[in-house]
Amino acid sequence: MTIRSILLATAAVAGSAVPAFAAPQHHRAHPHAAPSATKAEIDELRSEIADLRQRLSEQTATQSQVQAQVATAQAQAATTETEVAAISAKQGSDTGTSQLAAAQDELRRRVEKDEHPDHIGYKGIQLTPGGFVELAGVYRDHNQESDIATGFNAIPFANSRLGHTSETRFTARQSRVSLLAEGNASKTVRLSMYGEFDFQGAAQTANSNESNSYNPRIRNLYGTIDWALAGGSDLHLLAGQNWSLVTMNAKGISPRNEVLPLGIDAQYVPGFAWTRTPQVRVTGDFMDKHLWLALSAENPQTTFYTTGTPAGTTAGSVGTAASLPGTLVYNGTGASGFNSANSLSINHIPDIVAKAAYETKIGKRTLHVEGFGLYREFSDRVTGGNYNTSGFSGGGSIAMQIVPGAIDAQFSGMAGKGIGRYGSSQLPDVTFRPDGSIAPLDEYMLLAGIITHPTKKLDVFGFAGEEVTSQRSYTTAAGLAYGYGNPLYTNTGCLTEGSSVCNGNTRSIRQVEVGFWQRLYQGSWGRAQVGAQYSHTSRHTFAGVGGAPEAEQDIGFLSFRYYPF
């Protein structure tokens, strides 16, 4: 645009600003009238000016709306203050004091909600961030070279030289971030997406030498669709990675309401049944959300125990290892998209879980009861044929407020064939017979917990759990031992430092833990808390040649967490 055009446009703007009551000005036509092109430029500028005035008007209207909302909130606060004053004036008793405190709490809640909303709006979608930052410390009296998650089935026996040392570590890897996105597609359909991530991935480049460069990993990542049906019932679809349907829920059968042990250990407690796997789940709630029914198909994976080593010809010797058929195939090395250091089992159908939950109140106490059934198939190929073996299991849980607001209790259990994968101790699902066919192991797991709330900012907890598996062993005419827990397996060196003559098949793992969480701050700016936990774990084995060795582990945890959202 030319300088002359700008000057002419400026003159036009100045002319438009003359008040309507000003006397009209009469000028002679300038001998050098602006050409038509310049007039067009002026008209274009006037159009832009009109558009800017319209935008300014809209912004003024928006500011008026915001001011109206603020005025409404202030009016609500004033109304609440008036109610508080009325209660304070009329009541001088303890009841009046209680009502006054409740009214004050409600006032603070309203103000905090107005000033610090718990979600963000974006194109009609409600976004809710979450997560926490944690610095944790862990001490184990027997070194396992482990981070925040303890390998309960790897607690060392006395033959481990490293196990005679202790370990202390600091870690921030359990810190996590999450985001929930929700939107109403219609009056009866709601769509949601949830993602949760921590930093406990450990690629080959991850180490603790200098930068502690550990990588993020998926905990949960799924989408849901909720349909409101006639008669007050709802239908829910979940697709993605989430906690298994066998995991205990706190309310109905709904995501993000799973009941997890309160401890700091990222592997939780022996006896806690869980996985986090890709799945498809359908859930329905009935009877005004008192009864819930669900069915899920979940990603399968099998854990194996192949074969141990029988006793040799002399005490303490290794002897000749029993070998499985050379044609046996039961897993393969990770290929495209998987780490080649990992193996994947042969599975051709998903794990199927069906679950029912019921919740009610007994007086003022809430009660949640649920039960589930699990079907699995285990597959291998041997001597030119494919073979499948089924595994069935079931379980349930109960959670109840013993003293509302003061004491909560929970109990859960699971039993069946081939369920080691679902326990925190990670005992094997199956073993093999001499011909290479799969033999599922019978197992049960139990967990009990109690949580007390001595103050509004203090939670004290205690949990006790165990996982117990069965012996499934076979011996050939030639004296070769197969299976799991075979009495011919050699354990003579399990208690001798430096010895490798130790099969040590785990029969049971038990743990007792206690701890607390103390909130240092909780309010508009989030929550800051400190926690501590102590656990004692014992590992028991099946008897073999040389006895049934045991191992114990004492662990202490300390955690500092900040939840900003």
Side-chain angles (χ1 to χ4, degrees), residues 313-335:
T313 55
T314 59
S317 64
V318 176
T320 303
S323 59
L324 292 165
T327 59
L328 174 63
V329 177
Y330 56 91
N331 61 15
T333 301

Side-chain angles (χ1 to χ4, degrees), residues 218-470:
I218 297 175
R219 286 174 59 86
N220 297 299
L221 185 59
Y222 57 83
T224 61
I225 306 177
D226 303 303
W227 292 274
L229 306 179
S233 299
D234 298 316
L235 183 65
H236 315 274
L237 173 67
L238 181 149
Q241 179 164 309
N242 189 34
W243 295 92
S244 170
L245 197 56
V246 308
T247 307
M248 181 179 178
N249 291 98
K251 185 172 180 58
I253 304 177
S254 53
R256 302 182 299 281
N257 279 307
E258 295 81 13
V259 179
L260 311 182
L262 287 187
I264 303 168
D265 197 320
Q267 195 58 21
Y268 307 108
V269 187
F272 176 50
W274 66 282
T275 62
R276 287 191 302 265
T277 58
Q279 60 190 268
V280 178
R281 178 193 302 182
V282 178
T283 306
D285 63 76
F286 312 92
M287 299 170 56
D288 194 23
K289 299 188 182 298
H290 287 287
L291 176 64
W292 300 67
L293 302 175
L295 180 69
S296 70
E298 305 181 3
N299 189 62
Q301 178 69 20
T302 305
T303 57
F304 301 91
Y305 183 83
T306 53
T307 178
T309 303
T313 55
T314 59
S317 64
V318 176
T320 303
S323 59
L324 292 165
T327 59
L328 174 63
V329 177
Y330 56 91
N331 61 15
T333 301
S336 177
F338 291 106
N339 193 315
S340 60
N342 297 327
S343 296
L344 290 91
S345 59
I346 300 173
N347 298 97
H348 64 281
I349 68 168
D351 291 359
I352 305 297
V353 187
K355 188 175 186 178
Y358 180 77
E359 52 193 43
T360 186
K361 281 192 173 184
I362 301 176
K364 295 183 179 181
R365 300 173 179 84
T366 59
L367 174 66
H368 178 94
V369 181
E370 59 185 42
F372 65 85
L374 168 66
Y375 174 77
R376 308 188 67 194
E377 274 203 4
F378 314 104
S379 305
D380 68 349
R381 180 176 178 83
V382 62
T383 319
N386 297 331
Y387 299 93
N388 303 312
T389 303
S390 298
F392 297 89
S393 60
S397 60
I398 181 171
M400 185 176 182
Q401 291 180 318
I402 304 300
V403 179
I407 302 176
D408 303 321
Q410 64 183 73
F411 177 81
S412 60
M414 181 179 182
K417 294 181 178 295
I419 62 173
R421 173 202 187 197
Y422 285 86
S424 286
S425 298
Q426 287 294 283
L427 300 177
D429 291 324
V430 302
T431 187
F432 292 96
R433 301 179 180 91
D435 62 0
S437 59
I438 288 177
L441 300 175
D442 294 318
E443 183 181 342
Y444 72 83
M445 53 189 76
L446 301 172
L447 177 66
I450 187 166
I451 305 168
T452 65
H453 315 283
T455 70
K456 291 184 178 181
K457 293 187 177 182
L458 175 63
D459 299 323
V460 179
F461 61 86
F463 286 86
E466 68 173 2
E467 297 178 32
V468 181
T469 191
S470 63

Side-chain angles (χ1 to χ4, degrees), residues 132-140 146-150 167-176 198-202 207-208 211-215 217 264-266 555-561:
F132 60 83
V133 174
E134 178 187 66
L135 172 66
V138 55
Y139 169 84
R140 298 182 180 93
S146 297
D147 201 87
I148 194 68
T150 302
E167 65 176 331
T168 298
R169 303 185 187 281
F170 288 158
T171 178
R173 296 173 63 192
Q174 193 166 212
S175 303
R176 66 188 65 153
D198 64 19
F199 302 88
Q200 296 189 60
N207 61 66
S208 297
S211 67
N212 281 234
S213 303
Y214 296 94
N215 46 295
R217 68 169 186 174
I264 303 168
D265 197 320
I555 313 175
F557 293 90
L558 183 64
S559 171
F560 298 91
R561 291 183 182 180

